[in-house]
Amino acid sequence: MNARQGGFLISKIKQIGGRRFDHILQERNIEAFNGAQGKILYVLWQRESITATELARETGLAKTTLTAMLARMQEQGLIVQSANAQDRRSVLIRLTERARALKTEYDSVTNEVSKLYYRGFSEEEIAAFEGYLKRILQNLEEV
C-alpha cells in the first residue's frame, strides 16, 4: 500500500501559505493584524458577535492560544469583549469599527493569496478540490 501524503501536504501548504500571507501583509505595510489574527477577524466579519468557545471552534485555535490573541486584539482596539446576557458564564466578542474598516485590506490580501493557490487551475478543478477538502473536514469533525 502506498503511503498517503494528503495530511502532510495540507500541513505544508498551511505553513507556507501562512508565511506568504504574512509576507504580503509586510509588503503592504499592514500592521493592524497578522495572519493568525486574520482567522479571528474573518470569522467575526461573518457574524456580529460570537462566544470564545464558538470562535475557537470556527478558527480551529486552541482556547489558550485564542485567549492570548483576544487580549492582544483588545489592546490593539480590534475587538471588544462583553458579558453575554444569555449566558453569564461566557463572554461575547465583537469587532470594533477599526476592525470592520480593515475588511477591504484583508480581502485584497486573501484574494492575492488565492490567486497564488489556484494559479493554473480551472474553475471546475477549484470547485472539485474545495469539495474534497470539505469532505475531509467533515470526516475529521465526525470522529
Side-chain angles (χ1 to χ4, degrees):
M1 180 173 112
N2 292 340
R4 300 289 180 204
Q5 295 184 356
F8 172 78
L9 293 171
I10 289 170
S11 178
K12 194 165 184 175
I13 289 166
K14 179 183 179 288
Q15 180 184 43
I16 295 170
R19 283 197 304 248
R20 186 65 192 135
F21 187 90
D22 287 340
H23 182 73
I24 292 168
L25 290 175
Q26 285 180 337
E27 285 179 339
R28 294 184 180 196
N29 293 318
I30 299 172
E31 297 176 0
F33 59 88
N34 60 36
Q37 290 173 335
K39 289 180 189 180
I40 295 169
L41 291 171
Y42 177 80
V43 171
L44 289 170
W45 283 318
Q46 313 308 310
R47 300 178 57 179
E48 187 61 29
S49 64
I50 190 170
T51 66
T53 301
E54 292 170 313
L55 190 55
R57 185 175 53 248
E58 293 286 324
T59 60
L61 295 169
K63 279 196 171 189
T64 53
T65 302
L66 181 65
T67 300
M69 290 181 73
L70 291 176
R72 199 168 351 169
M73 290 175 77
Q74 189 159 356
E75 287 173 16
Q76 293 172 306
L78 297 173
I79 63 158
V80 292
Q81 299 183 58
S82 59
N84 183 350
Q86 312 297 334
D87 181 357
R88 292 182 192 199
R89 295 169 296 165
S90 68
V91 173
L92 289 176
I93 300 149
R94 292 185 181 85
L95 291 175
T96 62
E97 286 304 316
R98 177 172 185 250
R100 283 188 187 95
L102 296 172
K103 187 173 184 323
T104 302
E105 281 183 299
Y106 181 86
D107 288 346
S108 174
V109 174
T110 57
N111 286 338
E112 188 172 335
V113 172
S114 288
K115 286 178 186 175
L116 288 172
Y117 276 30
Y118 295 126
R119 185 174 46 215
F121 286 80
S122 70
E123 287 299 318
E124 295 78 20
E125 289 172 323
I126 293 168
F129 173 68
E130 290 184 352
Y132 299 143
L133 290 175
K134 288 174 185 175
R135 283 173 49 195
I136 290 169
L137 181 60
Q138 185 177 9
N139 289 344
L140 292 171
E141 289 175 338
E142 289 176 355
V143 175

